[in-house]
Amino acid sequence: MKLYIKYMVSLRCKMVVKDELAKLGLHFVVVDLGYVQITEHISDEDREKLRVNLLKSGLELMEDKRSILIEQIKGVIIEMIHYSDETPKVNYSDYISEKLNYDYTYLSNIFSEVKGITIQQFIIINKIERVKELLLYDEFNLTEISYKLNYSSVAHLSNQFKKITGLSPTFYKQLKQKRNSNLENF
């Protein structure tokens, strides 16, 4: 049986869910971002206990099919951008459509209707967040980050970064360095 969980976006979230399932004596096959596959049928009483316990950790057990689909779309995008070493070689739309076994136009329409932004805008926002992380870690230069996140050029990445954050990637990185040097002076 599959259960869908909202706000489940990190390894810590997965551990919380595993702990809550164990407390209820439920066995899982898969615990992944946004969902869990358990081996047995869950009673209404256990479902309610799980729902309440997950809420205490900021997670939400979902019932509505549209909400579940939105979370699945977000999960595929977050996993693709934040947790995968390589971005897909196909178009994002094809990748998302293949992963979820739905027509992309259908997914796109539901996502836009519910979230108020397009899937493409959500992808861009997540890519820029990933760029920020990579800039702060200082492991890759801008050219490498551009390639890693499948941008057509460094200029394209820089333009998108500035459009979303209001800062150039270089200035953003300098802010981090200034912050660190200020902390070292105390």
Side-chain angles (χ1 to χ4, degrees):
M1 171 178 220
K2 248 187 189 178
L3 302 172
Y4 295 93
I5 303 167
K6 192 172 184 175
Y7 308 120
M8 191 173 164
V9 294
S10 70
L11 297 176
R12 185 197 68 79
C13 294
K14 288 167 91 170
M15 293 190 51
V16 167
V17 171
K18 287 178 183 178
D19 288 345
E20 293 303 330
L21 291 171
K23 287 178 190 174
L24 293 171
L26 298 171
H27 304 93
F28 59 87
V29 178
V30 177
V31 174
D32 211 344
L33 299 178
Y35 76 95
V36 60
Q37 177 95 31
I38 58 174
T39 56
E40 55 270 301
H41 183 75
I42 186 170
S43 69
D44 290 342
E45 183 182 326
D46 281 347
R47 181 185 288 271
E48 182 59 19
K49 285 179 188 173
L50 181 62
R51 187 188 70 72
V52 169
N53 290 340
L54 290 176
L55 274 174
K56 290 175 186 174
S57 298
L59 302 172
E60 187 178 320
L61 192 59
M62 293 188 298
E63 306 292 335
D64 175 48
K65 290 185 188 291
R66 285 169 52 118
S67 296
I68 290 169
L69 190 55
I70 296 300
E71 289 305 308
Q72 287 177 314
I73 294 167
K74 288 167 56 178
V76 166
I77 293 167
I78 289 167
E79 188 174 319
M80 172 180 70
I81 293 170
H82 294 276
Y83 298 107
S84 178
D85 288 335
E86 285 190 30
T87 54
K89 300 298 180 210
V90 296
N91 290 337
Y92 290 136
S93 57
D94 293 339
Y95 180 79
I96 295 165
S97 185
E98 283 176 27
K99 284 289 250 185
L100 299 177
N101 293 318
Y102 282 99
D103 177 65
Y104 183 77
T105 304
Y106 173 73
L107 295 173
S108 179
N109 288 338
I110 286 180
F111 192 89
S112 297
E113 186 180 313
V114 173
K115 298 305 288 176
I117 63 170
T118 66
I119 289 176
Q120 188 60 36
Q121 289 168 319
F122 187 76
I123 289 171
I124 290 168
I125 290 166
N126 275 275
K127 283 175 80 171
I128 296 306
E129 285 304 310
R130 183 71 175 132
V131 170
K132 286 180 186 178
E133 288 174 24
L134 293 171
L135 285 171
L136 292 178
Y137 293 146
D138 214 19
E139 293 176 28
F140 302 102
N141 64 37
L142 211 48
T143 304
E144 292 167 328
I145 293 171
S146 171
Y147 179 77
K148 184 175 181 60
L149 292 176
N150 213 18
Y151 277 95
S152 57
S153 68
V154 174
H156 183 220
L157 180 152
S158 296
N159 287 337
Q160 234 177 37
F161 192 93
K162 186 160 185 139
K163 190 175 180 183
I164 299 292
T165 66
L167 306 169
S168 72
T170 306
F171 188 74
Y172 181 82
K173 194 170 182 174
Q174 288 170 350
L175 282 177
K176 175 221 169 206
Q177 291 166 343
K178 283 181 186 175
R179 213 177 1 220
N180 287 346
S181 68
N182 285 342
L183 289 174
E184 290 171 2
N185 292 333
F186 285 103

